[in-house]
Amino acid sequence: MSNHGHWQSRPEGGGRFALWLIRTIALHGGRRLGRLCLYPITLYFFLRRGPERRASRQYLQRVFGRPATTWQVLRHIHCFAATILDRIFLLAHGERPFQLETEGLDLLDERLAQGRGVLLFGSHQGSFEALRAIGARRPQMALRVVLDKQKTPAMTELLEALAPEVGACVIDAAQDGTTIALAMAEACDAGALVAMLADRGRGHEVLRRTNLLGSPAPFPISPWLLAHTLQVPVVLCFGLYLGGNRYRLVFEPFSDRVEIPRHDRGPMLDRLIARYAQRLEHYIHVAPYNWFNFYDFWQDAPAAGEPAAEPAAAVGERVGI
């Protein structure tokens, strides 16, 4: 969902090719053949995609506290490729080909039962797509997904081809902020589960830094401003890939209502983002090869041409909070 796992240094370059290749193998050869083909695909990207290979090494060094080995980097890339392959089968067949464990699903049900809707915040970790499989267990549960269709055309095409009914429930994040907020509010009013990723900002988004794996990292503020605007429960979701055909979906209640006072907006945003980052770091240590931000996530210096961070107060006024 969203721009899950795409190769940041060359958007929709290698990532688009990988998705096309794995999709072709999966649809024509099945999951067993697809799994076998992941090994040469992993080696190809390890050899050809230097920026992502270096980003993987740097990330794994942060996690393990020592230089990453070539085997560890290969395992990291293979884990990513495996979740792309499984995305196809999750979209086409739901959870039938998989062993899907859940944790905290009853807590999610309790919040949905309130009828106010729920915001579900995920991350570029494991498979957020595994969430779709829950729909088969909860047919009465309406699911809306915030996805930037323009940024991920390959994923959008795949979604619309394999699961057009799911594609029709997407809220396009490429729209202006007001339109997105209204669509999310309408979905919540109908008692829906609205899912989005909260760990990676887009180029124009306002970011605030908080500690992750020992260094300050930038996180977007927009998910938290939307949570404040909508005043619905927020639940975190971590879809961990456990290897083979096994996944674990973890749901953690975060807040029944996010309040960001005008006079305390900056510090409150910092506290919210820090709490989110702490849970993200916890699951990074639980499943270190599940982290799929293949670029310099910490961004020690702003990229050339990157806009300066806008004061949080100004953003809040612009979206009407």
Side-chain angles (χ1 to χ4, degrees):
M1 298 180 187
S2 185
N3 47 357
H4 175 108
H6 92 127
W7 301 93
Q8 273 285 334
S9 61
R10 281 160 55 189
E12 292 300 328
R16 187 181 181 90
F17 172 71
L19 189 56
W20 172 84
L21 180 60
I22 294 174
R23 173 189 174 184
T24 300
I25 293 169
L27 293 181
H28 295 285
R31 190 171 183 272
R32 181 171 297 180
L33 176 61
R35 293 278 301 179
L36 290 174
C37 291
L38 292 182
Y39 296 103
I41 289 172
T42 296
L43 183 61
Y44 169 84
F45 277 97
F46 176 82
L47 295 174
R48 293 297 301 265
R49 302 289 294 184
E52 289 80 11
R53 182 177 65 245
R54 290 189 290 273
S56 174
R57 285 190 187 277
Q58 293 164 2
Y59 155 73
L60 292 171
Q61 180 170 337
R62 288 180 181 272
V63 177
F64 297 126
R66 58 183 182 275
T69 66
T70 295
W71 173 252
Q72 287 173 327
V73 175
L74 285 167
R75 183 176 174 183
H76 190 199
I77 297 172
H78 181 271
C79 187
F80 172 52
T83 62
I84 292 180
L85 175 70
D86 286 346
R87 179 182 302 179
I88 295 166
F89 294 97
L90 283 163
L91 288 172
H93 306 297
E95 67 175 290
R96 289 199 305 275
F98 302 97
Q99 296 180 30
L100 185 61
E101 306 169 11
T102 62
E103 181 180 326
L105 185 56
D106 55 334
L107 301 175
L108 176 64
D109 286 338
E110 288 176 9
R111 281 145 185 86
L112 283 170
Q114 297 175 17
R116 296 190 289 144
V118 171
L119 277 179
L120 193 70
F121 287 170
S123 63
H124 292 76
Q125 186 179 28
S127 179
F128 202 44
E129 275 73 22
L131 171 67
R132 300 186 194 278
I134 295 299
R137 302 186 187 183
R138 302 288 190 278
Q140 75 283 1
M141 181 184 74
L143 174 64
R144 302 294 304 277
V145 181
V146 181
L147 169 70
D148 189 336
K149 293 184 177 182
Q150 294 181 10
K151 195 168 186 179
T152 57
M155 183 57 201
T156 300
E157 292 168 12
L158 180 65
L159 180 63
E160 293 176 347
L162 295 179
E165 73 287 353
V166 175
C169 295
V170 167
I171 297 173
D172 190 356
Q175 303 173 99
D176 64 271
T178 301
T179 302
I180 296 170
L182 288 173
M184 293 175 68
E186 182 180 353
C188 288
D189 287 344
L193 183 63
V194 180
M196 64 187 302
L197 302 180
D199 65 330
R200 184 195 296 172
R202 294 179 293 167
H204 64 276
E205 284 192 85
V206 181
L207 308 173
R208 294 184 78 92
R209 289 181 175 270
T210 195
N211 187 71
L212 183 73
L213 296 176
S215 298
F219 287 83
I221 69 171
S222 55
W224 309 103
L225 296 178
L226 285 165
H228 169 82
T229 300
L230 297 173
Q231 292 289 287
V232 300
V234 175
V235 175
L236 305 185
C237 177
F238 301 92
L240 304 179
Y241 174 57
L242 306 179
N245 68 340
R246 297 173 54 231
Y247 285 84
R248 178 186 301 135
L249 267 177
V250 181
F251 299 97
E252 288 191 357
F254 184 88
S255 176
D256 281 338
R257 192 184 300 271
V258 170
E259 298 280 0
I260 305 178
R262 284 183 177 273
H263 66 275
D264 195 33
R265 181 171 280 123
M268 179 57 73
L269 283 167
D270 288 338
R271 288 194 288 272
L272 289 167
I273 293 170
R275 279 184 58 203
Y276 171 76
Q278 287 167 5
R279 300 314 298 155
L280 185 62
E281 182 168 322
H282 170 78
Y283 286 102
I284 283 175
H285 286 296
V286 169
Y289 297 104
N290 273 234
W291 174 258
F292 300 142
N293 281 299
F294 287 92
Y295 69 108
D296 180 13
F297 185 81
W298 284 261
Q299 300 174 18
D300 294 329
E306 180 180 331
E310 183 180 0
V315 180
E317 289 167 4
R318 194 173 69 243
V319 297
I321 67 172

